[in-house]
Amino acid sequence: IICFFFFFQAEDGIRDAQESRGLGDVYKRQDLVLYGNHLSSLPETFGKLNVGGSLSLARNCLTSLPESFGKMSLGLDLSLVGNPLASLPDTFFELEVQGDLQLGCTEMSEMPPSAAQLSVGGDLTLYDCPAADGWREFPRVRGVVRRLSTHRDPPDASY
């Protein structure tokens, strides 16, 4: 008698209430972690990325983001904590973040009017982000908006 056993791991080990849509989702849910790599810039083509999971660009040396950034397809969370960003491109606020957005410890002095368009499915956390002090409402944030102005060491945002 010959027996064959087959084992298929569902969704790269991810088991949740969402129904499986096949093995194609294995790669669609992967995170892109560029945490602490001393990146000083991103290519203009960065916005063409399709990140199915979380994207962490935390604790780099980014002073700006490419205009294409807001065109990126992002599945879950985004962290830009700890970058000396002086401003964000207007297209950034076209980005739809399905999960949490961590944006803090930057050098931004003001938020553009388009910031009210920011769409966040989870929480928006603004650590030491004086630019956000003037903004009291983010109507398209479904979770909690947290502002901590005395916190000098941002949380570990590596996802």
Side-chain angles (χ1 to χ4, degrees):
I1 295 178
I2 299 174
C3 290
F4 294 99
F5 292 96
F6 295 94
F7 175 76
F8 294 96
Q9 185 172 359
E11 303 287 331
D12 195 26
I14 299 170
R15 289 177 170 69
D16 55 21
Q18 185 180 17
E19 287 185 29
S20 171
R21 290 173 285 167
L23 294 176
D25 286 332
V26 171
Y27 298 107
K28 291 180 185 176
R29 288 199 172 183
Q30 296 300 311
D31 297 339
L32 177 57
V33 180
L34 299 172
Y35 176 91
N37 284 308
H38 303 286
L39 298 174
S40 59
S41 65
L42 298 173
E44 184 57 40
T45 56
F46 196 83
K48 293 182 179 181
L49 284 176
N50 182 1
V51 180
S54 297
L55 171 61
S56 177
L57 290 167
R59 296 186 189 240
N60 279 292
C61 302
L62 298 171
T63 56
S64 65
L65 297 175
E67 276 297 318
S68 66
F69 198 89
K71 306 296 184 192
M72 182 184 334
S73 177
L74 184 62
L76 292 173
D77 306 314
L78 172 61
S79 177
L80 292 169
V81 169
N83 284 289
L85 292 166
S87 64
L88 295 171
D90 283 337
T91 59
F92 178 84
F93 301 103
E94 297 172 15
L95 186 65
E96 293 193 18
V97 180
Q98 303 300 317
D100 298 336
L101 172 59
Q102 290 189 349
L103 179 64
C105 293
T106 66
E107 295 180 8
M108 291 186 294
S109 59
E110 63 182 25
M111 289 271 205
S114 56
Q117 298 173 349
L118 187 61
S119 177
V120 180
D123 296 341
L124 170 60
T125 306
L126 303 163
Y127 292 100
D128 279 333
C129 193
D133 288 346
W135 288 90
R136 295 292 168 222
E137 293 185 29
F138 289 89
R140 297 182 64 199
V141 174
R142 291 183 205 97
V144 176
V145 177
R146 295 186 179 94
R147 291 178 173 86
L148 300 173
S149 60
T150 59
H151 201 288
R152 288 288 169 206
D153 190 20
D156 183 10
S158 60
Y159 292 118

